[in-house]
Amino acid sequence: MLKRYLPILEWGRSYDRSVLSSDLVAAVIVTIMLIPQSLAYALLAGLPPVVGLYASILPLVLYAIFGTSRTLAVGPVAVISLMTASAAGAVAEQGTAAYLEAAITLAFLSGIMLAILGLLRAGFLANLLSHPVISGFITASGVLIATSQLRHILGVSGGGDNWPEMLGSIGASLGTTNPWTLAIGIPALAFLFWVRKGAKPALMRLGIADKPADMIAKAGPVVAVALTIIAVIVFDLGEKGVAITGEIPPGLPPFALPSADLSLIEALWVPALLISIIGFVESVSVAQTLAAKRRQRISPDQELIGLGASNIASALSGGYPVTGGFARSVVNFDAGAQTPAAGAFTAVGIALASLFLTPLLFSLPIATLAATIIVAVLSLVDLKTPGRLWRYSKSDFAAHVATIGITLIAGVEMGVIAGVGVGLLLYLWRASRPHAAIVGRVPETEHFRNVDRHDVFTVPHVLSIRIDESLTYLNARWLEEYVLARVAEKPELRHVILMCSAVNAIDASGLESLEAINHRMGDAGVGLHLSEVKGPVMDRLKRSHFLEELNGEVFLSQSRAFETCVADNGEAREPQDHYMARGLI
Amino acid sequence: MLKRYLPILEWGRSYDRSVLSSDLVAAVIVTIMLIPQSLAYALLAGLPPVVGLYASILPLVLYAIFGTSRTLAVGPVAVISLMTASAAGAVAEQGTAAYLEAAITLAFLSGIMLAILGLLRAGFLANLLSHPVISGFITASGVLIATSQLRHILGVSGGGDNWPEMLGSIGASLGTTNPWTLAIGIPALAFLFWVRKGAKPALMRLGIADKPADMIAKAGPVVAVALTIIAVIVFDLGEKGVAITGEIPPGLPPFALPSADLSLIEALWVPALLISIIGFVESVSVAQTLAAKRRQRISPDQELIGLGASNIASALSGGYPVTGGFARSVVNFDAGAQTPAAGAFTAVGIALASLFLTPLLFSLPIATLAATIIVAVLSLVDLKTPGRLWRYSKSDFAAHVATIGITLIAGVEMGVIAGVGVGLLLYLWRASRPHAAIVGRVPETEHFRNVDRHDVFTVPHVLSIRIDESLTYLNARWLEEYVLARVAEKPELRHVILMCSAVNAIDASGLESLEAINHRMGDAGVGLHLSEVKGPVMDRLKRSHFLEELNGEVFLSQSRAFETCVADNGEAREPQDHYMARGLI
C-alpha cells in the first residue's frame, strides 16, 4: 500500500554507487539544458524569468518521491506555459503581482486536481483526448507559441491570445522594429536551427563519438545564451533598446501561499482543469514511451499523484504549473538517468544556478530566449498527420482539423474543449449508427460472413444478422428499426438469429430494445434466437427476465444455431409452440 | 423531396369519407379531454389558464402538416410545463407580462432549435438520453409536479424549483390551509383517482361496452370540472377564499411576436435546448410506440421539424412550449384517429371552446385543476425500475438514481444535464476498460471461446486474444497495456493472434496502438496475426501502412489462424524471417 503511493521505496532500496554516477551525469546535462529553457518558458508564460527557475527545483524533488517513471524530467513546458499566460492574462495584467498570484494559484489548483484525480484513480479521463486531437492541439500550440515569440525577435510590443490577434498586433507594430534586437535574434535563430540538425554531424566529423556529440549539440542553447550575453555587454546593446533579462534576485525560491481568494479560484478552476489534463496527457505519453524502451512500466493513476505533488510544490515555492516535458525527458534518458534521483540532483543543480548564476544572466537578451522557444516549438508542428488521417479516417481528420482551427482562432482553452467535444460527438454519432450485416455460412466451414462481401450459403426462411456493436442506449433505437426493417423485407421468414459475437455489452436500454424485438417477433410467429453470446453478456442477461420470455433459443455457436433453424421447415407447427413444446429456455 | 418535408401530401391523397368520420370522432373525444388538461398544465407552468388553450390550437394544425406520426396529439404536457415554469421563473415573476413573454420566447427558441436540428438530421442527439435517465427524470418530475400542486389543494401559497424548497414552503404555510378549498380538492382528487381505475369496470357493470366505457372514463376530468364549478356557484365558494379561474377573455389566440431582447434569449437558450430535447424524446417515444402497433413508421428527423413548426406556431399565437403527450395520444389512438387531420379537427374544437366556453369556466376552482395534474403525474412515477436496473446493471442503476436525486434536489434542468453527464461518463468509463479474453478452440469445432469459461484446446507457443471492443481512442492505451502484459507472462510465445470478431471499428488512435504493439512484437521475435477482421475494418486498414508493416498474417477465420500458428513449431527460423521468406504481407 505504502509502496503504491511512494514508488521511491521501490527503487530506493536497490540504489548503489553505479546508479548514482549515471544519475549524476544525467543531472548535470539536464541542468545545463534546463537553465535557458526555464527562463524562456517563464517568459512565454508572461512571468519574470526567475519564476521558471523556481518551478524547476522543488517540483523535481516531489516527482522523484511520488512519480513512477524512472526518467521523466518535470518542469515548465511550452504548451502549459502558453495556457498559463492565457488563463492568468484573463484575470490580471502581465507584470503585476496579481498576474504572478494567478499563475501560482493555477499551479496550486492544478496540483490539487491532479492529486484528487489520482486518488480517485481517474487516469482514464485522459483517454478523452484522442491522438488526433492531441496532435492537432500540439501543432496549433506550436504555431501560436512561435508567433507569440516573433515580437521579441523583432523587438516590438504586441500580444493576443489567438493567431489573428497576434498577427495583427505584430503587423501593427512592424514599423517600430529594433534593428539591434533583430541583429541578435536572427543569428540566434539561425544558430539554434543549425545546432538542432547540423551540430551533431559537424562534431562527429571533428572526431567526437556519437553519444558525446549528441550531448554537446543539446547544449547549443547554452552557447547561444553565452554568446549573446557577451554581444550585449561588448556592444552595450542594453542602451540601444535591446530588451534584456535585467536583474534577477539571486537566492532560493521564496515560500509562497496560494491565494485563498474565492473569486480568483472561481475564475481559474476551468483553465486549471484544462492545464491539468493537457499536462497529464503530455507527461504520461512521454513517460510511457520512455518506459517501454527499457521494458519498464508506469502507473497512470500514480502519475497523477506525482504530478499533483509537483504542482503543489511549485505553487508553494513561487512557481507556476509544471509537467513532464518531452525534450528534457529524452535528454535525461539519453544521458543515462537510471532513477528519479537524477531529477532530484537536477533540482540541486538549478538551485545552485539560482543562487550563483543569476548575476551572469543580467545581460541575457530576451530575443535569445525567444529564439530558443521558437526553435523548440516549431519541431512540434506536424504537417504529415493531416494527410495520413484524411486517408485513414475522415472523422479523425475532422477532429484533428477542428482542434487546429479552433485553437488558432479561439485560443488554447477553447481548442482543447472543442477538440474533446468534437471527438466525443463524432464517437457518439458513430456509436449511434453502428454497422450490421446479414451473414451466411462460408462453404465447408463453420464460419459466417457478410452476404454482400463473401460467397456464402443462406436459406430463405432463416435470417442471420450479425450486429457489429454493443447494444447500448446510444443505438437502442437503431437496433429496433434495423431488425424490424430487415424482417419486414422477408415474408417467408420463420427464424431470426442475432449473431452476437461482436456484442460486447448490453445495457438496460439495449435490453429493452431486445425485449421489444422479441415481443414483435412473437406476434409475427417468427422465432428469435441469439448465437455466440459472450460470457459477460450472458451472465447479465440471466439476471433479467429476457431469457425466460425469449421466443427461441440461445446457441453457443452461430453454426449450430443456423443448422437447427434450417432443419425446422415449419410445416408441423408455429415456431413459438415448437419451442414451448420442447421446453426450451 | 417535398413529400419528405410535407408528410401531409402522402396521407392527404388517400383521404376519404370513412377516414374523415374516424378522425372526427377521435377529435371530439380528445377535445373534451384536452380542455381541462390544457388549463391545468398552463397553471402548472405558472401561466394564465387560457394560455393552455392557445397552445392547443395552432400547434396541432402545424403538426398535422409537418408531423409523420398518424396519431400523435401535440399540446401542453406536464414535464415541459414544469420546465417552462422553472426557466421563466428564473427571469421574471409569475403573473407578470415579462413571465408570459419568457414562456412565449421559450416556445419560439425551442421551435427554431428543433427545426434546425431536424434540417441537420440530428435526431440521433436524442440517443444521449438513455432509458434509465429518461425514466428517472420522469419519475422525479412526477414527484416534483405533484408536490408543486399540493398547495392548490390546500389553498395555501408556496413555490420553489426543487423538492426541499417546495416541501419547505408548503410546510411553512400549512397553518393557513383553506378548509373550503380542501373540501373541493380532496373529493376531486378521490374522484379522479377512482375514475382512473374504477370507472371503467363500474360502467361495464352497468352494461356499457368495453370501448365506450373506456372513453367515458377518460372524460372523468370533465365531470370533476363541471361538478366543482356547480359547487362553487351553489355555495358561493369564491367569496370564501377558494381560488377560482376567474375571467378568461373569450376569443381566438392573439398574434404575438416573440421577444427580440438579446439578453432574454441569452438567459433562455439553455433551458430552451433542454425543453427541446426532453420534448422531442418524449414525443418520439410515444409516436414510435403507437406507430409500431399499426405497423406504421415515423421519421425522427422529420418529427423534429414537425415539433419545431408546432412550437413556433405556439409562440406566434401566444402559447408556450408544446410536444406530443402520452395520455392524449393514446386517447386519440384508441378513439380511432387515422390521420393527423384528427389533430387539426381537435384544434377546431379547442378554438370553439375558447370562443364560447370560457365564461362557463369562470368559477372553475384551481384545486380541481391541481387534482387533475396530480392524478395524471402520479401515474408517471415508476417504482419498479430501480430494482430491475439494480439487478441488471449497476451503472444503469447509478445513472437512474443520480437523475432522480439531482432532479429532486437541484430541479429539472440540472437533472437532465446531470443525467446525460452521468450516463456519458459511465459509458466512456466502460469503453475505456473493455473486456478481452484469452481463447482456445472448443474441441471438435472451429469455434473459439474464453479459456476461463470453457474447456478448450490451447498450445503454449500460440496466444489467441479476443478483443471485446472496438479499438478507439478511449481504449487505445488499455490495448497496448493489456496485450503487452499478456505477452510478458509467456516467455515461450512465438505467435499472438488478435481475434477481431468483436472489433467493429479501429480509429486512428487504435491504429497507432496496433502499430506500437506490432513494433514491440517484432522486437521480441513474436509474430502478430489478426483473425476475423470485419470487412469495413479491413477496408480501412488497407488505407494505412499497417498491413505492410504487420509482422504476421491476416486470417479470414480464427480457426485457420490457429492451425497455421500451431503448425509453426519455430525450430527452423525466427518468425519474422519466416514470414518474409514466405513473402507474406
Side-chain angles (χ1 to χ4, degrees):
Chain A
M1 178 68 182
L2 204 59
K3 264 189 200 160
R4 187 166 109 187
Y5 288 113
L6 287 171
I8 192 172
L9 299 178
E10 187 76 31
W11 57 264
R13 269 189 323 175
S14 56
Y15 205 80
D16 59 20
R17 193 174 297 184
S18 86
V19 179
L20 173 67
S21 70
S22 303
D23 283 350
L24 277 176
V25 170
V28 170
I29 293 170
V30 174
T31 303
I32 293 170
M33 177 194 175
L34 258 188
I35 292 171
Q37 219 181 57
S38 304
L39 299 171
Y41 287 152
L43 177 75
L44 170 57
L47 292 164
V50 71
V51 174
L53 293 178
Y54 294 167
S56 307
I57 303 175
L58 262 196
L60 280 70
V61 177
L62 271 288
Y63 184 81
I65 297 170
F66 292 103
T68 58
S69 163
R70 297 289 174 97
T71 45
L72 191 73
V74 168
V77 304
V79 171
I80 298 298
S81 299
L82 179 68
M83 293 179 81
T84 301
S86 163
V91 298
E93 196 71 28
Q94 271 196 24
T96 62
Y99 188 91
L100 177 59
E101 193 187 3
I104 290 174
T105 307
L106 276 172
F108 190 72
L109 289 177
S110 165
I112 298 285
M113 287 172 179
L114 286 165
I116 291 176
L117 289 174
L119 293 173
L120 293 176
R121 318 220 139 270
F124 84 96
L125 279 182
N127 295 343
L128 289 182
L129 287 162
S130 67
H131 292 197
V133 166
I134 296 171
S135 79
F137 179 71
I138 288 180
T139 288
S141 301
V143 171
L144 280 183
I145 293 169
T147 310
S148 77
Q149 297 307 302
L150 261 188
R151 66 189 163 102
H152 296 303
I153 303 283
L154 298 167
V156 303
S157 61
D161 281 337
N162 57 53
W163 216 32
E165 277 176 28
M166 287 175 181
L167 290 177
S169 84
I170 291 173
S173 52
L174 264 187
T176 63
T177 301
N178 182 310
W180 296 105
T181 306
L182 212 55
I184 290 285
I186 296 290
L189 256 185
F191 173 73
L192 289 169
F193 270 118
W194 172 77
V195 159
R196 204 167 182 89
K197 298 274 178 197
K200 190 181 160 191
L203 289 165
M204 287 172 74
R205 274 196 298 279
L206 293 177
I208 299 173
D210 182 85
K211 211 82 192 239
D214 205 40
M215 290 297 142
I216 297 171
K218 284 278 185 336
V222 176
V223 176
V225 163
L227 291 179
T228 55
I229 287 177
I230 293 167
V232 167
I233 294 171
V234 169
F235 301 107
D236 199 13
L237 295 180
E239 293 298 300
K240 291 170 181 153
V242 172
I244 55 175
T245 305
E247 193 167 8
I248 299 176
L252 290 175
F255 176 73
L257 268 181
S259 167
D261 176 356
L262 277 181
S263 70
L264 187 64
I265 291 173
E266 207 183 321
L268 293 180
W269 77 267
V270 173
L273 184 63
L274 294 174
I275 286 175
S276 305
I277 293 176
I278 291 285
F280 174 61
V281 170
E282 178 170 356
S283 185
V284 161
S285 309
V286 176
Q288 264 175 341
T289 308
L290 296 180
K293 289 197 183 186
R294 290 203 190 138
R295 316 240 155 212
Q296 294 164 345
R297 296 180 74 79
I298 62 153
S299 148
D301 288 328
Q302 179 62 24
E303 280 299 284
L304 280 167
I305 294 175
L307 292 175
S310 294
N311 275 293
I312 294 171
S314 184
L316 295 180
S317 57
Y320 73 105
V322 296
T323 194
F326 183 69
R328 74 189 55 174
S329 299
V330 172
V331 170
N332 194 35
F333 182 91
D334 286 346
Q338 297 289 323
T339 73
F345 300 145
T346 306
V348 173
I350 306 268
L352 290 174
S354 41
L355 277 174
F356 305 113
L357 287 188
T358 48
L360 298 182
L361 299 173
F362 180 90
S363 297
L364 170 60
I366 300 290
T368 309
L369 294 179
T372 319
I373 297 176
I374 291 176
V375 173
V377 298
L378 280 186
S379 70
L380 300 178
V381 176
D382 173 0
L383 298 174
K384 282 186 195 152
T385 297
R388 194 172 52 75
L389 288 175
W390 172 260
R391 281 189 302 279
Y392 184 70
S393 154
K394 300 292 177 286
S395 68
D396 277 317
F397 174 80
H400 182 73
V401 169
T403 307
I404 293 181
I406 295 169
T407 305
L408 287 180
I409 292 166
V412 277
E413 286 168 17
M414 272 311 294
V416 183
I417 294 174
V420 172
V422 170
L424 263 186
L425 265 186
L426 289 168
Y427 179 88
L428 296 174
W429 186 77
R430 273 177 293 161
S432 74
R433 314 194 166 196
H435 182 257
I438 310 289
V439 295
R441 189 165 64 195
V442 178
E444 289 167 55
T445 70
E446 297 179 3
H447 194 63
F448 284 73
R449 292 306 279 256
N450 192 339
V451 294
D452 295 334
R453 290 175 178 264
H454 300 266
D455 210 6
V456 293
F457 172 70
T458 56
V459 294
H461 70 282
V462 178
L463 179 69
S464 303
I465 302 177
R466 188 188 71 206
I467 297 165
D468 285 356
E469 189 65 76
S470 293
L471 302 180
T472 66
Y473 69 99
L474 295 173
N475 55 34
R477 226 182 285 274
W478 164 87
L479 176 74
E480 261 179 84
E481 295 221 348
Y482 181 84
V483 174
L484 298 177
R486 291 301 83 70
V487 170
E489 288 162 5
K490 301 202 150 202
E492 70 279 34
L493 208 63
R494 306 188 51 75
H495 294 282
V496 172
I497 307 168
L498 298 182
M499 180 176 171
C500 298
S501 50
V503 174
N504 304 308
I506 300 180
D507 75 2
S509 308
L511 178 68
E512 279 186 43
S513 289
L514 276 184
E515 285 170 345
I517 293 169
N518 180 47
H519 191 70
R520 305 261 202 98
M521 295 295 106
D523 288 351
V526 174
L528 178 70
H529 311 271
L530 305 181
S531 76
E532 310 203 0
V533 180
K534 298 183 177 187
V537 175
M538 197 65 189
D539 289 349
R540 183 159 284 185
L541 286 180
K542 281 180 187 153
R543 280 186 265 141
S544 74
H545 296 291
F546 178 68
L547 295 177
E548 295 152 33
E549 287 157 15
L550 182 68
N551 193 8
E553 292 181 58
V554 178
F555 293 93
L556 189 68
S557 73
Q558 168 64 22
S559 157
R560 214 173 297 168
F562 187 68
E563 273 166 32
T564 310
C565 292
V566 168
D568 172 38
N569 60 10
E571 275 157 19
R573 49 213 152 180
E574 287 298 293
Q576 209 168 351
D577 304 334
H578 169 72
Y579 289 109
M580 281 167 65
R582 284 167 64 194
L584 287 167
I585 314 284
Chain B
M1 177 69 181
L2 204 60
K3 265 191 200 158
R4 186 165 110 186
Y5 288 113
L6 288 170
I8 192 173
L9 299 178
E10 187 76 30
W11 58 262
R13 270 188 323 171
S14 55
Y15 206 80
D16 60 19
R17 193 176 297 183
S18 87
V19 178
L20 173 67
S21 70
S22 303
D23 282 352
L24 277 176
V25 170
V28 170
I29 292 169
V30 174
T31 304
I32 293 171
M33 178 193 174
L34 259 188
I35 293 171
Q37 217 180 57
S38 304
L39 299 171
Y41 288 152
L43 177 74
L44 170 57
L47 294 163
V50 71
V51 174
L53 292 178
Y54 294 167
S56 308
I57 302 175
L58 263 196
L60 280 69
V61 178
L62 270 289
Y63 184 81
I65 298 171
F66 291 105
T68 58
S69 164
R70 298 289 173 96
T71 46
L72 192 73
V74 168
V77 305
V79 171
I80 299 298
S81 299
L82 179 68
M83 294 179 81
T84 302
S86 163
V91 298
E93 197 71 29
Q94 270 196 24
T96 62
Y99 188 90
L100 177 59
E101 192 187 5
I104 290 175
T105 307
L106 277 173
F108 190 72
L109 290 177
S110 164
I112 298 284
M113 287 172 179
L114 286 164
I116 290 176
L117 290 174
L119 293 172
L120 293 176
R121 317 220 139 270
F124 83 94
L125 279 182
N127 294 343
L128 289 182
L129 287 162
S130 67
H131 291 196
V133 167
I134 296 171
S135 78
F137 179 71
I138 288 179
T139 289
S141 302
V143 172
L144 280 183
I145 293 169
T147 310
S148 77
Q149 298 306 303
L150 262 188
R151 64 189 165 103
H152 296 303
I153 302 283
L154 298 166
V156 302
S157 60
D161 281 337
N162 58 51
W163 216 32
E165 277 176 29
M166 288 174 180
L167 290 178
S169 84
I170 291 174
S173 52
L174 265 186
T176 62
T177 302
N178 181 310
W180 296 104
T181 307
L182 211 58
I184 290 285
I186 298 288
L189 257 186
F191 173 74
L192 288 169
F193 270 119
W194 172 78
V195 159
R196 207 169 181 87
K197 298 273 179 197
K200 190 181 159 190
L203 288 165
M204 287 173 72
R205 273 195 300 277
L206 293 177
I208 300 172
D210 182 85
K211 210 94 193 228
D214 205 39
M215 289 297 142
I216 297 172
K218 286 280 188 329
V222 177
V223 176
V225 163
L227 290 178
T228 54
I229 289 176
I230 293 169
V232 167
I233 295 171
V234 170
F235 301 107
D236 199 13
L237 295 179
E239 293 299 301
K240 291 169 180 153
V242 172
I244 55 175
T245 306
E247 192 167 6
I248 299 175
L252 290 175
F255 176 75
L257 269 180
S259 167
D261 176 357
L262 277 182
S263 70
L264 186 64
I265 291 174
E266 208 183 320
L268 292 179
W269 77 268
V270 173
L273 183 63
L274 294 175
I275 286 175
S276 304
I277 294 177
I278 291 286
F280 174 61
V281 169
E282 178 170 356
S283 184
V284 161
S285 309
V286 177
Q288 264 175 339
T289 308
L290 296 180
K293 289 197 180 183
R294 290 205 191 139
R295 317 239 155 213
Q296 294 164 345
R297 296 179 74 81
I298 62 153
S299 148
D301 288 328
Q302 180 61 24
E303 280 299 285
L304 280 166
I305 294 175
L307 291 175
S310 295
N311 275 294
I312 294 170
S314 184
L316 296 180
S317 57
Y320 73 105
V322 295
T323 193
F326 183 69
R328 75 189 53 175
S329 299
V330 171
V331 170
N332 194 35
F333 182 91
D334 287 345
Q338 296 290 323
T339 74
F345 300 145
T346 305
V348 174
I350 306 269
L352 291 174
S354 39
L355 278 173
F356 305 113
L357 286 187
T358 48
L360 297 182
L361 298 173
F362 180 90
S363 297
L364 170 60
I366 300 291
T368 309
L369 295 179
T372 319
I373 297 177
I374 291 175
V375 173
V377 297
L378 281 186
S379 69
L380 300 178
V381 176
D382 173 0
L383 298 175
K384 282 186 196 152
T385 297
R388 194 171 53 76
L389 288 175
W390 172 258
R391 280 189 302 278
Y392 184 70
S393 154
K394 300 291 176 286
S395 67
D396 277 317
F397 174 80
H400 182 72
V401 170
T403 309
I404 294 182
I406 295 169
T407 306
L408 287 180
I409 292 166
V412 278
E413 287 168 17
M414 272 310 295
V416 184
I417 294 175
V420 172
V422 170
L424 264 185
L425 265 187
L426 289 169
Y427 179 87
L428 296 173
W429 186 78
R430 273 177 293 161
S432 73
R433 314 193 166 195
H435 182 257
I438 310 290
V439 294
R441 189 166 65 193
V442 178
E444 289 167 56
T445 69
E446 296 179 3
H447 194 63
F448 285 72
R449 292 306 281 256
N450 192 338
V451 294
D452 294 334
R453 290 174 177 263
H454 299 266
D455 210 6
V456 293
F457 172 70
T458 56
V459 294
H461 71 282
V462 178
L463 179 69
S464 303
I465 301 176
R466 188 188 70 207
I467 297 165
D468 285 356
E469 189 65 76
S470 293
L471 303 181
T472 67
Y473 69 99
L474 295 174
N475 55 35
R477 225 182 286 274
W478 164 87
L479 177 72
E480 261 178 83
E481 295 221 346
Y482 180 84
V483 174
L484 297 177
R486 290 301 83 71
V487 171
E489 288 161 7
K490 299 202 150 201
E492 70 278 37
L493 208 62
R494 305 186 51 75
H495 294 282
V496 173
I497 307 168
L498 298 182
M499 180 177 171
C500 299
S501 50
V503 174
N504 304 308
I506 299 181
D507 74 2
S509 309
L511 179 67
E512 279 186 42
S513 289
L514 276 184
E515 285 170 343
I517 293 169
N518 181 46
H519 191 70
R520 303 261 202 95
M521 294 294 107
D523 288 351
V526 174
L528 178 69
H529 310 272
L530 305 182
S531 76
E532 309 203 2
V533 180
K534 298 184 178 187
V537 175
M538 197 66 190
D539 288 349
R540 182 158 284 185
L541 286 180
K542 281 180 188 154
R543 279 185 266 142
S544 74
H545 295 290
F546 178 68
L547 295 178
E548 296 152 33
E549 286 157 14
L550 182 68
N551 194 7
E553 292 181 59
V554 177
F555 294 92
L556 189 68
S557 72
Q558 168 63 22
S559 155
R560 214 173 295 169
F562 187 69
E563 274 165 31
T564 310
C565 292
V566 168
D568 172 39
N569 60 11
E571 275 157 18
R573 47 212 154 180
E574 285 299 292
Q576 209 166 352
D577 304 335
H578 168 73
Y579 289 109
M580 283 168 64
R582 283 166 64 192
L584 286 167
I585 313 284

